[in-house]
Amino acid sequence: MGNELSGPKRLLILDDEADVGATIANIARSAGFEALSVTSSDAFFAEINAWSPSHLALDLVMPHVDGIEVLRRLGGAACKACIIITSGVGSRVLDAAKRSALEHGLILSGVVSKPFTPSKFRALLAGPGVANDPRGGRAPRHEVVVDADMLHAAMEGRELTMAYQPKTDCRSGRVIGFEALARWIHPIHGVIPPDRFIVAAEHLGLMDPLTAHLFDIALDWFREIRTFSDYILSFNISRSSLGDIAFADRLARQCTHHEVPPERVILELTETSALADPTTSLDLLTRLRVKGFRLSIDDFGVGYSSIAQLVRLPFSELKIDKSFVFDAAASSESRTIIRTMVNLGHSLDLTVTAEGVEDGDALKILTDAGCDLAQGYFIARPMPATAVRPWLEAREGGA
Ligand code: C2E
Ligand code: CA
Ligand code: CA
């Protein structure tokens, strides 16, 4: 597969409208690219192999081609080309597509909605591959290639730590617990973001030792902090752990070792990962529940789950994806979705948590909608272990 860091600048375009493809090709040529445009996914994948493009432009909405499926196949092929999504669809579909691209470890240069201007498109061609969080506001993605040796060294050299972000009750403001978020401070490359190295660990088959390592760090911290109050520890589980039925036993053993009852731990799984293989997931998730762990469905609302699948799986918490929360104040559509998700969660007897709460307006909207718990920068940013107690004390003192 092509790589933006080496070789010629080549753009391959998939658009079922040949004239649109030709226009994009011309824009790219004017920016110094070689360009080729195709109208079918078969031709697209054939050219990726034959021509090694450094950049891909992909229309998501084509009558005979499923753009999301194309992204999935690119992820499966570990494609390293910079991807530009070109579509005139609504922002929710685009958000879902961005997440899907990131979940598959793809490098997304950005999204342009049709019709777009040549300069907008050229800007994306010029930029490096960047991590596209739902708001596009994150720093450029490190182009560090994470390999197995680096990950092993990180685990052995204590380069990995956990940050902890509080979760509070929407109405009372009481602190209910903390989500542990992995942090990697690399001695040369600096901070490598978690979604980056988690994907790498998955591809390298190193997710199991990494999860065990991170869970140990989190439990070790939590054993002490939980004596402070009846807190809950939220811990993220990668999709690649869900195929292994022994996973539940290993997590339970770690809890025993750290003297933390599994009942105090919520394992967070994204909607897409939990439902990737509902049958295996059901067995493993049930096993985790039997051990006492609670389960949370993370990033809810951007995946593709059906309510029927959701009802079958033994979740205790639903986490509304932050993209809806970011938009809550500005978009009545997002507020409607939030209310619907809160009602759905409650009708299934789930605790509903919103993440990405960045201001008081969002918190008020969520509270009015009946949301139970909130998490976000407005309450606190993820903080190092040593900052948690002072933060709690300041909060209690100020309350
Ligand atoms: P996530 O589980 O959805 O975690 C929430 C992310 O939102 C975190 O990003 C957090 O720092 C960020 N966040 C929290 N509040 C706000 C807010 O108000 N505004 C904004 N803009 N962002 C907010 P982070 O720490 O970069 O983690 C990214 C993802 O990496 C996580 O998304 C999770 O999927 C994955 N991850 C992190 N730690 C682990 C881990 O230990 N294991 C696994 N498997 N995945 C992890
Ligand atoms: Ca999470
Ligand atoms: Ca989330």
Side-chain angles (χ1 to χ4, degrees):
M1 290 259 160
N3 187 313
E4 76 289 354
L5 296 175
S6 59
K9 293 197 289 183
R10 285 185 175 152
L11 174 71
L12 177 65
I13 303 147
L14 173 58
D15 199 306
D16 63 326
E17 291 176 70
D19 52 340
V20 176
T23 307
I24 297 175
N26 282 335
I27 298 173
R29 286 187 195 112
S30 74
F33 275 71
E34 295 174 44
L36 185 68
S37 152
V38 296
T39 55
S40 78
S41 61
D42 284 347
F44 185 67
F45 282 98
E47 290 300 345
I48 286 176
N49 289 325
W51 196 52
S52 294
S54 58
H55 290 65
L56 303 173
L58 174 63
D59 186 0
L60 280 186
V61 192
M62 297 170 281
H64 305 297
V65 187
D66 178 346
I68 301 289
E69 173 61 18
V70 171
L71 282 179
R72 201 191 58 75
R73 273 181 70 186
L74 288 171
C79 173
K80 288 285 167 276
C82 287
I83 300 171
I84 298 169
I85 293 175
T86 58
S87 278
V89 293
S91 61
R92 281 219 307 286
V93 178
L94 285 180
D95 276 348
K98 282 191 212 171
R99 285 187 166 265
S100 161
L102 283 184
E103 289 220 352
H104 289 116
L106 297 170
I107 299 166
L108 207 56
S109 259
V111 177
V112 285
S113 292
K114 287 182 190 168
F116 48 80
T117 59
S119 61
K120 169 106 200 207
F121 193 80
R122 271 196 297 268
L124 286 180
L125 283 175
V130 292
N132 235 317
D133 83 357
R135 317 170 76 199
R138 195 170 286 183
R141 168 158 297 216
H142 288 255
E143 285 309 324
V144 180
V145 178
V146 174
D147 63 24
D149 288 345
M150 271 171 80
L151 265 172
H152 281 300
M155 288 190 262
E156 282 155 24
R158 298 178 176 270
E159 292 164 18
L160 292 164
T161 61
M162 284 296 207
Y164 301 94
Q165 187 178 35
K167 257 165 92 169
T168 56
D169 184 292
C170 282
R171 267 161 296 272
S172 69
R174 202 164 67 88
V175 179
I176 301 298
F178 297 85
E179 177 172 4
L181 293 158
R183 297 288 177 262
W184 182 358
I185 321 285
H186 190 277
I188 297 164
H189 303 298
V191 177
I192 303 179
D195 30 23
R196 177 80 177 172
F197 65 82
I198 299 292
V199 170
E202 285 174 347
H203 284 170
L204 294 164
L206 285 175
M207 206 50 228
D208 277 354
L210 181 61
T211 301
H213 182 81
L214 296 172
F215 199 39
D216 264 334
I217 296 175
L219 287 172
D220 192 39
W221 166 81
F222 187 66
R223 171 172 41 192
E224 200 198 318
I225 205 82
R226 85 182 183 89
T227 58
F228 222 47
S229 181
D230 240 2
Y231 298 131
I232 302 283
L233 173 70
S234 298
F235 183 78
N236 294 285
I237 296 297
S238 142
R239 67 157 72 205
S240 64
S241 301
L242 297 183
D244 175 10
I245 198 85
F247 181 66
D249 303 287
R250 289 199 297 274
L251 290 187
R253 271 202 300 277
Q254 286 183 273
C255 283
T256 310
H257 177 75
H258 290 278
E259 297 168 19
V260 172
E263 287 77 8
R264 303 243 66 85
V265 178
I266 301 195
L267 303 173
E268 298 194 355
L269 304 105
T270 64
E271 183 186 0
T272 351
S273 66
L275 298 167
D277 175 1
T279 320
T280 329
S281 298
L282 180 61
D283 290 346
L284 176 63
L285 298 185
T286 306
R287 189 130 162 195
L288 288 165
R289 291 288 279 147
V290 169
K291 302 266 178 209
F293 293 105
R294 288 189 244 179
L295 303 174
S296 172
I297 186 150
D298 204 352
D299 299 347
F300 190 74
V302 292
Y304 313 97
S305 54
S306 75
I307 293 178
Q309 287 171 312
L310 194 63
V311 172
R312 283 180 65 225
L313 295 169
F315 286 101
S316 338
E317 177 188 66
L318 180 159
K319 270 186 117 166
I320 298 176
D321 187 70
K322 47 181 172 312
S323 55
F324 303 106
V325 179
F326 292 151
D327 285 351
S331 149
S332 68
E333 195 185 38
S334 288
R335 290 195 291 278
T336 305
I337 296 168
I338 287 171
R339 276 197 302 276
T340 309
M341 291 197 280
V342 170
N343 293 338
L344 171 67
H346 286 167
S347 67
L348 295 173
D349 233 3
L350 306 177
T351 302
V352 180
T353 301
E355 63 179 12
V357 180
E358 292 194 345
D359 53 47
D361 288 347
L363 183 59
K364 178 161 185 339
I365 290 165
L366 290 158
T367 310
D368 292 347
C371 184
D372 303 299
L373 306 179
Q375 187 181 337
Y377 295 170
F378 182 62
I379 298 147
R381 290 188 176 246
M383 55 186 110
T386 49
V388 174
R389 270 184 105 118
W391 179 83
L392 281 167
E393 278 155 11
R395 192 176 166 94
E396 303 230 309

